[in-house]
Amino acid sequence: MGNEHIVAEFMLADGSIVSVQNTTSHYYGGYYHVRLLASADVTLTAGMFDSQAVFDQALNHLGPSICFKRVLEKMAVPESKVESVRHELLTSFKANVLPYLSRKDFPSRFVLSEYEKHLKSGIISRGKKYERF
């Protein structure tokens, strides 16, 4: 999806950017599935891990970054309400999700949590970009 669908961008404490894309689609008979997708790449750093060996292992499994994604959506929205619902979803994101993402400890907490989930899953990705919905 190109930049023409980006409705907002926010800079986080670590300098990374959260982009919010509009992925709204027609649902049925004049009703829409209003959907915003917020995403940010979070870079793995050695300081997030207890040792260089664990960091190297995480890089091997997850790659140099992982993607945080959050979907904000509402189904069956009449065409006349699409813009107001999109605005409500974005306002809710700013009030509820953005403060969490803006915390200084978000990148390390997110990476460690996702790495733990990855290890428990038994999936070996061998350096491919790791994304989790």
Side-chain angles (χ1 to χ4, degrees):
M1 194 152 295
N3 288 347
E4 66 275 6
H5 297 286
I6 294 176
V7 294
E9 290 185 320
F10 306 95
M11 184 175 288
L12 302 180
D14 69 343
S16 61
I17 303 290
V18 177
S19 294
V20 181
Q21 294 181 328
N22 176 25
T23 59
T24 298
S25 61
H26 183 253
Y27 178 61
Y28 177 79
Y31 289 90
Y32 288 78
H33 179 187
V34 179
R35 186 173 188 261
L36 299 178
L37 173 62
S39 63
D41 285 330
V42 180
T43 302
L44 279 70
T45 62
M48 295 174 174
F49 299 90
D50 291 336
S51 69
Q52 184 65 39
V54 176
F55 173 59
D56 291 342
Q57 182 182 12
L59 283 175
N60 185 44
H61 285 274
L62 302 177
S65 67
I66 58 176
C67 188
F68 170 87
K69 289 188 178 187
R70 182 65 35 112
V71 176
L72 308 127
E73 61 190 338
K74 187 167 184 180
M75 291 290 292
V77 176
E79 185 173 9
S80 63
K81 303 267 186 197
V82 168
E83 282 304 316
S84 64
V85 168
R86 188 177 297 135
H87 177 74
E88 289 169 15
L89 291 173
L90 188 58
T91 299
S92 175
F93 172 80
K94 288 178 191 177
N96 299 304
V97 180
L98 192 56
Y100 168 70
L101 298 178
S102 297
R103 292 175 48 146
K104 279 189 158 188
D105 63 347
F106 165 73
S108 61
R109 290 178 62 147
F110 176 67
V111 166
L112 293 174
S113 173
E114 292 300 303
Y115 183 51
E116 184 177 318
K117 289 176 192 174
H118 178 79
L119 291 176
K120 287 180 181 178
S121 75
I123 298 170
I124 297 175
S125 59
R126 301 222 186 262
K128 293 181 182 174
K129 190 168 188 178
Y130 177 69
E131 295 183 0
R132 182 176 194 87
F133 267 97

